[in-house]
């Protein structure tokens, strides 16, 4: 099969087309004929050598795919050969075939194209776990989401609104702020021109946001503490602005804040299966009705995966970047 490998840690051109054996599905696994693969920030970090795949995972990048079931491993019976599915992977998505445990796959939502379906798993699994499970967002509460036009951000805005929250989103331009508001954000903040702490306080009548989803880190950490409501929950999913900073932890105590974080890739098959079941029950009906949907940026052929990584690193994308594999 054709696949993309990382020749050596480095820039986007480190991604190169290669030939690999078609993987064999193990017990409970399925072999998928990949149609499309989502491109995510962890893929970029892996290419740069700073986010190695977990033990047992393929060295081929790619954490989410859509496609059809090609073959079933021993004991796999959840889907049939030929079924259209999308799946969360620990790696291996940038290839013509990939294996996945059947419990980590979900049916392609009704009416979705394969490119749209490939843009769902990583962001929806991540947002559901971090905003709704770890962050405990409730109807009537306020969510502050940083990076509002990223794949994670566009998903968080839509899901939070669908479940009855007020949403404040940050973005780096007027155009991106307009996209956030079109997706349902009650207020978008151009972080280059406005202080998100002041605006969040203003929107919430001085109360602050009950939940903050942050992928920036760095000096945002103390600022998040200032923007949070009493008993607020800050959920950390990345550190694009740096993993080290000086923080005023007095606010953590005085406001009784919870600052938590998580990574998804290395979690167990069973953990991801429970997330998949929750999404199938609570979110898949919303996707089928188009009440929420992935925001699509650009689609590149598999052979131009390096261009997809360049676009992600430039930061000009809005929503999800996808590779056309099939």
């Amino acid at each position: 099969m054709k696949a993309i490998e990382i020749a050596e840690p480095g820039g986007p051109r480190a991604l190169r087309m290669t030939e690999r054996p078609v993987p064999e599905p193990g017990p409970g696994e399925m072999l998928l004929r990949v149609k499309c693969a989502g491109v995510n920030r962890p893929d970029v970090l892996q290419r740069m050598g700073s986010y190695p795949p977990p033990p047992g995972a393929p060295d081929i990048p790619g954490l989410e795919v859509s496609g059809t079931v090609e073959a079933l491993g021993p004991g796999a019976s959840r889907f049939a050969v030929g079924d259209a599915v999308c799946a969360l992977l620990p790696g291996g998505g940038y290839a013509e075939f990939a294996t996945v445990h059947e419990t980590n796959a979900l049916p392609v939502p009704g009416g979705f194209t394969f490119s749209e379906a490939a843009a769902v798993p990583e962001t929806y699994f991540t947002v559901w776990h971090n905003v709704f499970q770890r962050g405990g967002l409730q109807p009537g509460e306020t969510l502050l989401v940083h990076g509002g036009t990223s794949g994670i951000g566009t998903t968080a805005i839509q899901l939070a609104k669908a479940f009855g929250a007020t949403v404040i989103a940050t973005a780096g331009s007027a155009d991106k702020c307009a996209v956030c508001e079109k997706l349902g954000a009650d207020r978008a903040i151009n972080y280059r021109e406005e202080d998100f702490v002041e605006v969040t306080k203003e929107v919430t009548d001085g109360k602050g946001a009950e939940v903050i989803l942050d992928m920036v880190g760095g000096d945002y950490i103390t600022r998040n503490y200032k923007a949070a409501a009493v008993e607020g929950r800050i959920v950390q999913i990345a550190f694009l602005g740096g993993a080290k900073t000086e923080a005023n932890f007095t606010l953590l105590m005085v406001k009784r804040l919870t600052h938590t974080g998580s990574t998804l890739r290395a979690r167990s098959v069973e953990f991801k299966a429970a997330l998949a079941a929750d999404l199938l029950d609570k979110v898949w009906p919303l996707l089928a009705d188009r009440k929420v949907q992935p925001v699509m940026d650009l689609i590149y052929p598999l052979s131009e995966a390096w261009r997809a990584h360049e676009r992600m690193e430039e930061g000009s994308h809005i929503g999800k970047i996808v590779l056309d594999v099939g």
Side-chain angles (χ1 to χ4, degrees):
M1 68 176 184
K2 293 178 181 178
I4 296 294
E5 68 178 6
I6 300 169
E8 59 184 15
R13 289 287 190 170
L15 299 176
R16 68 182 182 191
M17 188 74 81
T18 188
E19 295 279 339
R20 293 284 185 93
V22 174
E24 292 284 338
E29 292 185 340
M30 306 184 297
L31 176 67
L32 304 183
R33 181 180 291 272
V34 177
K35 298 291 189 180
C36 294
V39 177
N40 293 283
R41 185 69 59 175
D43 304 341
V44 173
L45 297 176
Q46 179 179 338
R47 190 205 71 226
M48 296 169 66
S50 58
Y51 192 35
D59 65 326
I60 297 168
L63 303 179
E64 59 182 348
V65 298
S66 65
T68 56
V69 178
E70 183 77 6
L72 301 173
S77 59
R78 192 183 186 102
F79 296 94
V81 171
D83 283 354
V85 301
C86 55
L88 186 70
L89 312 177
Y94 292 13
E96 291 181 313
F97 293 91
T99 57
V100 65
H101 196 277
E102 64 176 0
T103 61
N104 291 183
L106 289 161
V108 169
F112 271 47
T113 64
F114 280 114
S115 57
E116 289 176 316
V120 169
E122 174 69 14
T123 51
Y124 278 78
F125 275 68
T126 298
V127 169
W128 188 256
H129 177 53
N130 287 284
V131 173
F132 293 91
Q133 293 184 340
R134 301 188 76 83
L137 183 67
Q138 299 296 315
E141 291 188 328
T142 296
L143 170 70
L144 169 61
V145 55
H146 295 298
T149 55
S150 66
I152 293 290
T154 54
T155 300
I157 291 169
Q158 294 179 79
L159 280 179
K161 288 301 296 181
F163 285 94
T166 296
V167 178
I168 304 169
T170 66
S173 71
D175 288 344
K176 287 188 173 184
C177 284
V179 170
C180 292
E181 293 180 347
K182 185 176 181 180
L183 289 172
D186 298 273
R187 177 69 153 85
I189 302 166
N190 184 341
Y191 63 78
R192 301 183 194 278
E193 298 179 354
E194 297 181 286
D195 180 356
F196 72 78
V197 175
E198 293 182 2
V199 175
T200 299
K201 291 287 190 179
E202 176 186 316
V203 171
T204 59
D205 296 324
K207 184 179 179 182
E210 281 85 4
V211 179
I212 300 175
L213 181 64
D214 184 31
M215 59 193 76
V216 180
D219 67 359
Y220 271 38
I221 291 176
T222 292
R223 296 172 68 192
N224 285 335
Y225 291 175
K226 293 178 180 178
V230 173
E231 304 280 1
R233 291 87 69 192
I234 299 104
V235 189
Q236 204 75 45
I237 59 169
F239 293 101
L240 299 180
K244 296 180 180 180
T245 188
E246 291 186 7
N248 182 356
F249 290 109
T250 302
L251 291 171
L252 192 76
M253 298 168 61
V254 171
K255 289 186 171 183
R256 301 184 299 279
L257 303 176
T258 299
H259 190 171
T260 184
S262 72
T263 59
L264 184 58
R265 186 179 190 183
R267 299 301 292 268
S268 68
V269 165
E270 293 77 15
F271 176 83
K272 295 173 185 175
L275 269 180
D278 220 15
L279 286 167
L280 184 63
D281 179 44
K282 297 182 175 68
V283 175
W284 247 238
L286 299 177
L287 289 166
D289 291 341
R290 294 281 180 173
K291 292 180 179 177
V292 299
Q293 60 187 330
V295 175
M296 305 299 292
D297 187 70
L298 294 182
I299 301 173
Y300 295 89
L302 181 64
S303 60
E304 297 180 11
W306 63 272
R307 290 183 61 204
H309 278 223
E310 277 191 342
R311 180 159 180 81
M312 176 158 282
E313 288 186 304
E314 288 167 359
S316 57
H317 65 289
I318 294 176
K320 294 289 294 190
I321 302 169
V322 169
L323 299 177
D324 185 345
V325 179

